[in-house]
Amino acid sequence: QEEGVCYVFDDSFEHEAWHDGDQTRIVLIFDVWHPDFSDEEVKFLSYLQNSQIKAERAMSAEAEGDDNFFALLRKTKALLKNDSWWITAADADDEPEGGGG
């Protein structure tokens, strides 16, 4: 691995990853729909994915402790010195039509 070089890989296959370095490593993960999916399939799968996220958020709000994904996000946000770029769903709902700023 070389510093400053981006890596792209298909993580749809079972795999393991770890970081033994002495510096923080940031990983950007994003989903790309398979190009053979129809618009209807993407819409349906997006609905399922969003439903799962909403359920997990609700469960984490009721859960004791901080060992869940959304608690980790809250703790991470608290570590930021400048979080003006961080937009929550509530912030996005309050945003004027057209993005404004």
Side-chain angles (χ1 to χ4, degrees):
Q1 294 183 6
E2 186 178 330
E3 185 174 336
V5 174
C6 293
Y7 295 90
V8 177
F9 64 95
D10 180 355
D11 72 342
S12 63
F13 300 97
E14 187 173 341
H15 69 284
E16 293 182 9
W18 58 93
H19 175 61
D20 294 326
D22 59 354
Q23 295 181 334
T24 301
R25 178 177 73 174
I26 298 174
V27 178
L28 172 65
I29 299 174
F30 61 95
D31 294 324
V32 178
W33 294 111
H34 193 283
D36 288 342
F37 284 174
S38 68
D39 289 345
E40 292 82 17
E41 289 169 321
V42 169
K43 185 175 180 178
F44 175 72
L45 292 171
S46 296
Y47 173 78
L48 290 179
Q49 190 175 45
N50 289 334
S51 296
Q52 180 183 11
I53 290 170
K54 287 178 184 179
E56 289 173 358
R57 181 178 291 144
M59 287 189 305
S60 74
E62 296 174 8
E64 292 184 24
D66 60 357
D67 60 346
N68 62 70
F69 177 72
F70 289 99
L72 176 64
L73 285 179
R74 286 189 297 274
K75 285 170 51 176
T76 303
K77 183 180 180 200
L79 296 173
L80 297 173
K81 302 213 182 324
N82 175 358
D83 67 354
S84 61
W85 59 272
W86 187 291
I87 299 175
T88 65
D91 295 335
D93 290 343
D94 293 338
E95 185 86 9
E97 195 69 32

